[in-house]
Amino acid sequence: MLASISGLGAFLAYFATAAALVAVYLVIYLLATAHDELALIRRGVTAAAIALGGSLVAFTLPLAASIYNAQGLLDCAVWGLVALIVQMGVYWAVRAALPEMSRQIEAGENAPAVFLAAASLAAGVINAAAMTY
């Protein structure tokens, strides 16, 4: 029985590190966007949920890869920050390509939200695959 939970301490440490990185990501992402996703989601604006949800999943894919490949907690955190930078870069690139994106998401238009989510996921998958150090 004890052998089956011998890795519990490491699990908790990596899980806490990942949770902290997710929290940092969400704070930075929510501050960077020109619209208030959480308020929009509370109002039932699906476009905001698609954009934020896609971005969150896209960030956690390389974060999971960093946990899997990490040589320690610091290594995991550094690569988690790399994933954060990549995802913010995707957001800014899509925002530059679609300057009306925030207004459209606020208006409940799903097309830019789906594109942002897809671009985020594409970058997240590539980022996760590249984390094979």
Side-chain angles (χ1 to χ4, degrees):
M1 167 77 178
L2 290 179
S4 65
I5 62 167
S6 64
L8 183 60
F11 164 80
L12 292 173
Y14 280 96
F15 191 87
T17 300
L21 285 165
V22 168
V24 167
Y25 175 74
L26 285 173
V27 167
I28 291 171
Y29 186 89
L30 293 171
L31 290 172
T33 58
H35 52 278
D36 185 347
E37 287 90 347
L38 295 179
L40 292 171
I41 292 168
R42 286 184 191 105
R43 286 194 353 237
V45 178
T46 303
I50 291 168
L52 182 59
S55 176
L56 181 59
V57 171
F59 173 68
T60 60
L61 286 169
L63 184 56
S66 74
I67 291 169
Y68 181 77
N69 292 306
Q71 301 298 314
L73 285 176
L74 180 60
D75 192 39
C76 174
V78 167
W79 285 104
L81 291 174
V82 169
L84 186 152
I85 292 165
V86 168
Q87 286 304 313
M88 292 310 302
V90 170
Y91 170 76
W92 288 109
V94 171
R95 187 168 167 181
L98 303 174
E100 295 295 314
M101 178 179 66
S102 286
R103 184 198 57 74
Q104 291 174 297
I105 289 173
E106 287 174 338
E109 296 177 28
N110 289 337
V114 169
F115 181 72
L116 176 60
S120 297
L121 286 167
V125 168
I126 292 168
N127 194 3
M131 290 188 182
T132 59
Y133 50 93

